[in-house]
Each structure stands twice: as structure tokens, then as C-alpha cells.
Amino acid sequence: MASQDIESATTALQVQPDNKARRYDRQLRLWAATGQCALESSRVLVLSGSATSTSILKNLVLPGIGHFTILDHATTSHADAGNNFFLEGLESVGKPRASEAARLLRELNDSVDGHADTRQLRSVIESNPDWLASFTVVIAHNLDNQILTKLSSLLWEHPSHPTLIVVRSAGFLAEFFIQVHEHTIIESHSETPPPLRIDKPFPALKEHALSLDFASMDPTEHGHIPYVVILVRLLEDWKRSHDGNPPRTYSERQEFKKSILALKVKLDEENFDEAEAQAYRCWTETTVPPEIASLFDDPAISPEALRESHSPFFHLLAALKEFTDQSETHTLPLTSTLPDMKADTTNYIHLQKLYKTRADEEKHAFKSHLRAPVDDATIDLFVKNAHALCVIRGTRWDALDRTALVNALAENPKAACLHLSLSALSTLKDQSPDLPISTEALRKQVISIIGDEAELPECLDDFIGEVVRAPSAELPTTAAFLGGMIAQETIKIITKQYVPVRGYCTIDLIETWTAVIGS
């Protein structure tokens, strides 16, 4: 099988990796140098030095965030020493929890700057809100409802304020929510590949396909024609005898597939088998994907909005809309990325060059539609990923109203009941911090949240039971699981790569499932 990008692969082989590239080799394969640069420029604030918080930080320090601060006024208790791997057992008891955790976390990666701050969050919100707004992401674990509401409101005041990730856990139950104003993603790493435009071949590809004489080829060469070329050739032949139309009916499509296999000169020619499997591309019209077409109606790309916008993304999106409207095929710009296929090196590289030449031509045309300066690297990334762009506009942390909760109960009762149980627990802790949590009090609080009219599922009792069993317990297994999940979502936000979870992600580690409500 030929590789995906011959030029970049051969260039990479000529460059010797430095120490940083060797250290971060595996993660660079996930988010590349652009993502790593974003990580190393990030500032993460974690509110609490709990076991869950330090597990999250561990998974952010290891890949190399730029800076972290733990804001926590608590001193280390015996309970902390028993469940937090980033405390030195009894030696940490009585010492500031933030300082102890920050010191040990820094040892994981000497290139990461880490600090402890023992001020109270309430006083920081009142006296120094700009300091909170200076971070890239703020992560809050099991904060009191009252202070969390103030923090959420503060960080929601302006779109430039940092993303807030709210995490709540009790025993084997947990949930998290990402509060973000607007999040644009160019590199979503979609599993949907960019179109090859087999049904709308560009002139050079069409000319190449029509120039080949399959009948005169020797068996070796015949068995290594890329399936893209086979399909373009046969589709053009088909159109000539069908008034310029592709196969439309079921019988025509079956006939077309048979004509592909009929060209085999040997039974084991995998390239023709691939062509037969990919034949649907011949009658599936290449258009702008619906998700991208919907972005073309975004108010952010109106002339008035663009005059006020400093975001390269929306200027690029406006240029993309203009390009597709005015292009002959009304499609997104072509990319030079080809999938693996049965082909020899000569045929594959020739096909790659055809696509790259055309992609460069269309990228040049795309740039002519830009009305604001954007660097070439960003343009390259945007064009390469134009088929999978994403814009997320979120809501405040506490924006899930009673109607939405009732709908969530009907659609996913378990996830909704888990969310309600943790919400009720937070409210009770605020109202009566010194009283023990009881089943009756939790159920009463759930009813006050959802309303008397709502029909509560039987599974609610199971979640209430787990919350009552461990209302403030941080289990190492839960902390470790959350540490991986929250760090993953944080990295998505920082790098603006991959698509973060939208809504309240609920986690049940008793029955081992996750589910999202309110998305």
C-alpha cells in the first residue's frame, strides 16, 4: 500500500528529531507541532488540590503545558494523604495542600512552570478577577455551588475569558461540563476523508485517465493502476454512452460494477476490487458537506461582523463560501491528501503530483477571496481541513433549565438521574454544610430541582444511594479515570484540535458507562 503523503514523509526522514521531538514523539503524532506549541503557551488554573485535580494536572504536565497554578487554601488532611498520589503521605499532613501537590507535579516535567496559591477563591474573585481571566483554561473540582456560580458568571462576562471546566464527583459517580463562549476548530481530525472528486474530475486527472490504454498494458502495470484512475476512466466511458449521466438506477450501478471487474486480467488484481468497492463515488455527487454549508449562514461572516472580527477563522470561512459559490464545480478546495490504495510507487506519485498541482492552483484561487491578512501556514491547514471545520457556541454552566432536565429524563433517564443526584448533593452541601447527607434530603432536593410534576425513574434511588454512601469520598480509581478524561478535553480546548464534549458528560463507574445530556 502506498503511503498517504509521499512528499511530507520523505522530507520528515531527512530531518533528525531534536530532544523535544523525541520526548513528545507519540503525542506529536496526534496534534503535531501546532498543537504542541499551543500546549506550551497555555496557562492552566486548577481550583483545588484534590486527588481528582492532581490526576488531571498529571495528564497535562506530562505532555508539556506551559504553566499551571493550583489555587487551594486547604491544608493537607489525613484523608488527602490516603487518596492523593501527589502528596507525600503523612509528611504532607498539616502543610498547604496546593504547595505539596505543585512541588511533586513539577517533578514530572522540568519544562513546565508550576505554582501554588493558597488564597481563598472567593477573595480572588472579588479582589483580582483579571488574574483569573489571564489563564487559558480554569478547572474547578467539587466547588461549593455559591462560589461556582460566581466564578461561572465572571468567566462568562466576556468571550475572551478562559474556558471553565466544571467537575463534580462522589464515590463512583461523576460529571463534567465545559463552559465555553465560542470555540472554532480547523483540525477536527474527522474520520471522513476529503473528497477525491471522481465524479467531477479536474482536467489534468481526466486527461491522464483517458490517455491510458488498459488493453496494451502488461499484467504487472495493469495490476497497479490506482482505483481513482480506473473509476474516472470508466465513468467517462459510461457517460459517453448514457447522455452524459452517471449510473442512476440500481441495475445501472450493478452493471457499472460488473464492467469494472470485467477489466481484470488476473483474478488477484486488488486495484480493480478496490475500484468496485469505491464505485459509489461515481454516482454520489461531490458537494459541500451539510455541516460546512450551514456555517456559510453564520452571522459571524457577514460583512459587518467581519469588520469587527480579529478571528482569522471567520475571515477564512467567508473566503471559503465565496470560493465555493464561484468555483465551476461548487465544491470545497481540493486537497493533495490521498488514501492508501493498491498502486506501485510510480503510479501513486504521479497521481499525487496531479492532485497536488491542482490543489495548489485552487489554494491560490482561494487566497484571492481573502479580505484580511492570514499567514500561509494557517491557510494551508484551513484548506486541508475545509471538509471538517467546526464552530461550537456553548452555554453557561448552570444554563440547564427545568424543561431541559425533564426532556433529558425522557431521553436518557440514567444520565439525567446521575446529574440530578450530584446537583442535589452540591445544593445540600451549600445549604447545610455541617449536616449529614441523607436519602430523604437528597430525594427532596431532586424534586425541588425537577419539579413535582416530573415522573422520577426508579434508577434515581441507585444514584442517590451511591451519593449518600460516599458524598465526599474521592476514590483513586475515579480520580484516575477523571484525570484522563478531563485532561483530554482540556487539551482539545487548548490546541483547538479534535471536538470537545458538549453538554454534561455523566460518568458511572459502577456500571461503567458515560453519557451526555443537555448538548
Side-chain angles (χ1 to χ4, degrees):
M1 289 290 180
S3 63
Q4 205 170 18
D5 193 328
I6 297 290
E7 184 176 340
S8 62
T10 53
T11 302
L13 288 172
Q14 298 168 8
V15 181
Q16 293 298 315
D18 57 16
N19 289 334
K20 181 184 288 187
R22 282 193 288 268
R23 169 186 276 189
Y24 297 133
D25 175 69
R26 294 172 72 181
Q27 65 200 48
L28 286 170
R29 298 167 192 263
L30 292 175
W31 51 71
T34 53
Q36 190 62 33
C37 182
L39 270 184
E40 293 173 6
S41 303
S42 67
R43 289 168 45 81
V44 177
L45 174 63
V46 175
L47 306 174
S48 164
S50 64
T52 299
S53 298
T54 54
S55 290
I56 295 168
L57 270 177
K58 182 254 300 186
N59 291 297
L60 294 173
V61 170
L62 286 173
I65 57 171
H67 168 94
F68 74 84
T69 293
I70 300 175
L71 180 64
D72 187 355
H73 68 279
T75 56
T76 304
S77 66
H78 284 84
D80 294 324
N83 68 6
N84 194 328
F85 291 113
F86 289 94
L87 297 172
E88 289 191 309
L90 294 176
E91 291 185 17
S92 293
V93 173
K95 298 177 183 178
R97 188 167 64 170
S99 302
E100 289 293 284
R103 175 174 59 83
L104 293 172
L105 283 163
R106 283 196 300 268
E107 293 180 3
L108 295 174
N109 192 336
D110 56 13
S111 66
V112 176
D113 179 37
H115 291 279
D117 192 321
T118 56
R119 291 178 293 173
Q120 293 230 14
L121 175 58
R122 188 184 304 275
S123 66
V124 174
I125 291 175
E126 293 170 356
S127 64
N128 200 0
D130 290 344
W131 180 78
L132 291 168
S134 70
F135 289 88
T136 312
V137 177
V138 177
I139 302 172
H141 175 239
N142 278 359
L143 277 189
D144 293 341
N145 255 12
Q146 188 178 20
I147 192 68
L148 180 56
T149 301
K150 287 185 177 181
L151 177 67
S152 171
S153 299
L154 170 66
L155 297 184
W156 192 252
E157 285 178 359
H158 195 275
S160 65
H161 284 174
T163 297
L164 172 65
I165 302 180
V166 178
V167 188
R168 299 196 291 199
S169 65
F172 285 110
L173 306 179
E175 72 170 6
F176 68 85
F177 178 83
I178 302 173
Q179 174 181 293
V180 60
H181 262 282
E182 182 178 88
H183 187 66
T184 57
I185 307 167
I186 294 176
E187 297 176 87
S188 65
H189 297 269
S190 169
E191 294 183 2
T192 303
L196 298 171
R197 281 206 221 150
I198 289 171
D199 63 315
K200 298 177 180 180
F202 51 92
L205 176 61
K206 183 177 177 180
E207 181 182 344
H208 171 62
L210 293 176
S211 69
L212 298 180
D213 184 0
F214 291 0
S216 65
M217 290 180 180
D218 65 65
T220 301
E221 187 179 3
H222 193 269
H224 288 87
I225 310 167
Y227 77 77
V228 172
V229 176
I230 296 172
L231 290 176
V232 170
R233 171 61 177 274
L234 291 185
L235 181 58
E236 291 304 314
D237 291 346
W238 175 279
K239 285 180 177 179
R240 276 199 294 268
S241 58
H242 290 80
D243 299 323
N245 297 315
R248 288 179 171 174
T249 65
Y250 176 78
S251 60
E252 285 182 342
R253 292 170 182 177
Q254 292 303 109
E255 181 185 347
F256 184 79
K257 287 185 175 184
K258 288 177 182 177
S259 71
I260 296 172
L261 298 179
L263 288 175
K264 280 186 172 186
V265 295
K266 294 193 298 182
L267 289 176
D268 61 349
E269 287 187 316
E270 295 177 29
N271 55 332
F272 284 91
D273 292 332
E274 284 182 340
E276 192 262 349
Q278 299 291 326
Y280 69 92
R281 295 176 183 268
C282 294
W283 52 77
T284 304
E285 184 183 3
T286 302
T287 59
V288 177
E291 300 82 5
I292 307 303
S294 67
L295 294 181
F296 292 163
D297 297 324
D298 197 301
I301 65 171
S302 67
E304 299 78 15
L306 288 176
R307 279 195 290 270
E308 303 295 327
S309 174
H310 300 291
S311 168
F313 182 90
F314 291 109
H315 286 282
L316 288 163
L317 186 60
L320 184 66
K321 179 181 187 302
E322 199 171 289
F323 173 90
T324 56
D325 286 345
Q326 296 182 17
S327 70
E328 185 180 342
T329 57
H330 298 293
T331 57
L332 300 174
L334 192 70
T335 76
S336 60
T337 302
L338 294 180
D340 289 346
M341 61 186 71
K342 182 70 174 179
D344 58 18
T345 304
T346 302
N347 277 302
Y348 190 86
I349 290 180
H350 181 68
L351 184 63
Q352 178 86 54
K353 286 180 177 178
L354 290 175
Y355 270 84
K356 188 176 188 313
T357 300
R358 180 64 179 188
D360 288 343
E361 291 170 358
E362 295 196 6
K363 182 170 66 177
H364 180 74
F366 167 80
K367 290 168 73 171
S368 70
H369 296 286
L370 271 172
R371 303 290 182 264
V374 181
D375 63 275
D376 286 341
T378 302
I379 293 173
D380 290 346
L381 273 178
F382 187 89
V383 171
K384 181 181 178 181
N385 296 281
H387 66 290
L389 304 171
C390 186
V391 177
I392 294 174
R393 291 192 173 90
T395 58
R396 266 187 54 170
W397 160 71
D398 56 352
L400 197 61
D401 59 20
R402 183 171 288 183
T403 301
L405 284 170
V406 170
N407 292 337
L409 273 174
E411 294 168 6
N412 195 331
K414 282 190 173 183
C417 286
L418 193 160
H419 170 77
L420 285 168
S421 300
L422 291 177
S423 297
L425 174 63
S426 296
T427 304
L428 282 180
K429 282 184 174 180
D430 257 13
Q431 293 174 351
S432 308
D434 299 324
L435 293 179
I437 303 297
S438 67
T439 301
E440 295 76 16
L442 268 178
R443 190 173 184 87
K444 184 177 179 181
Q445 188 59 47
V446 166
I447 292 172
S448 73
I449 294 172
I450 196 70
D452 296 328
E453 302 82 10
E455 185 177 343
L456 297 175
E458 292 182 7
C459 64
L460 176 65
D461 293 334
D462 296 330
F463 296 112
I464 287 178
E466 173 62 10
V467 169
V468 171
R469 184 186 73 84
S472 57
E474 277 198 272
L475 306 180
T477 48
T478 306
F481 187 84
L482 285 174
M485 283 199 75
I486 309 302
Q488 174 180 274
E489 297 305 308
T490 304
I491 289 170
K492 290 178 184 178
I493 294 292
I494 292 171
T495 61
K496 291 196 170 185
Q497 294 188 34
Y498 301 92
V499 181
V501 170
R502 285 172 269 190
Y504 292 79
C505 181
T506 56
I507 302 157
D508 181 350
L509 295 182
I510 299 173
E511 296 186 354
T512 61
W513 54 260
T514 64
V516 176
I517 62 170
S519 58

